[in-house]
Amino acid sequence: MLNDIKEVLLSEEELKTIVKELGKKVTEDYKNKNLYMVTVLKGAVVFLSDFMRAVECPCEIDFMVVSSYGSGVKTSGNVKIVKDIDTPLEDKDVLIVEDILDSGLTLNFLIDLLKQRNPKSIEICTLLDKPSRRAADVHAKYIGREVPDEFVVGYGLDYDEKYRNLPFIGVLKPEVYTK
């Protein structure tokens, strides 16, 4: 696996710092609110597990499985809900916790879907932001770090279901995904 990594963008220690910073901001903003974190599986589960422990106010979590990639490296634009959340959202302050915001097409679809359920508010917290690839008008309120337009893996992010278990964020060598 390590031989497939071109460079490390964010080390394990840097990720811990980012998660702590994001947790502090969210704690301040949601201390008297009804925080309900919605996480898109599978990629964001590693981030969520660390992030929710960095948030020091009451919260609930739920999971969705949303597919738009298949085994490719770019979004197909066709979003499919594989698993929906289990709880009504009325009067909840929804925070969508994502691993990476790139084209924004999936999150745009997801926000429109969740708004129909009458939450009190909806915001996005993303570990990584790749604005150079944005195709939809979607912006996160909480951003860990901006990353260049390269294929990144690790800390939950994958290529064809591999590399999620790397403890850092790295750039995948192009020859790995262009075979």
Side-chain angles (χ1 to χ4, degrees), residues 81-140:
I81 301 294
V82 179
K83 184 232 178 270
D84 207 340
I85 57 176
D86 298 322
T87 305
L89 295 180
E90 288 183 23
D91 297 322
K92 295 190 184 296
D93 294 293
V94 175
L95 182 63
I96 300 170
V97 179
E98 257 291 27
D99 51 359
I100 187 165
L101 172 55
D102 54 15
S103 73
L105 295 172
T106 301
L107 274 176
N108 191 50
F109 174 87
L110 189 57
I111 289 166
D112 288 345
L113 176 71
L114 296 179
K115 279 182 179 177
Q116 295 171 19
R117 300 174 186 186
N118 302 313
K120 193 172 190 179
S121 66
I122 298 179
E123 296 292 351
I124 299 168
C125 175
T126 186
L127 175 63
L128 305 176
D129 187 23
K130 197 185 288 187
S132 61
R133 299 210 356 128
R134 199 80 76 244
D137 188 24
V138 176
H139 305 279

Side-chain angles (χ1 to χ4, degrees), residues 32-47:
N32 295 314
K33 296 185 177 182
N34 192 8
L35 178 57
Y36 189 81
M37 295 186 207
V38 175
T39 300
V40 180
L41 296 176
K42 300 175 189 170
V45 72
V46 176
F47 173 46

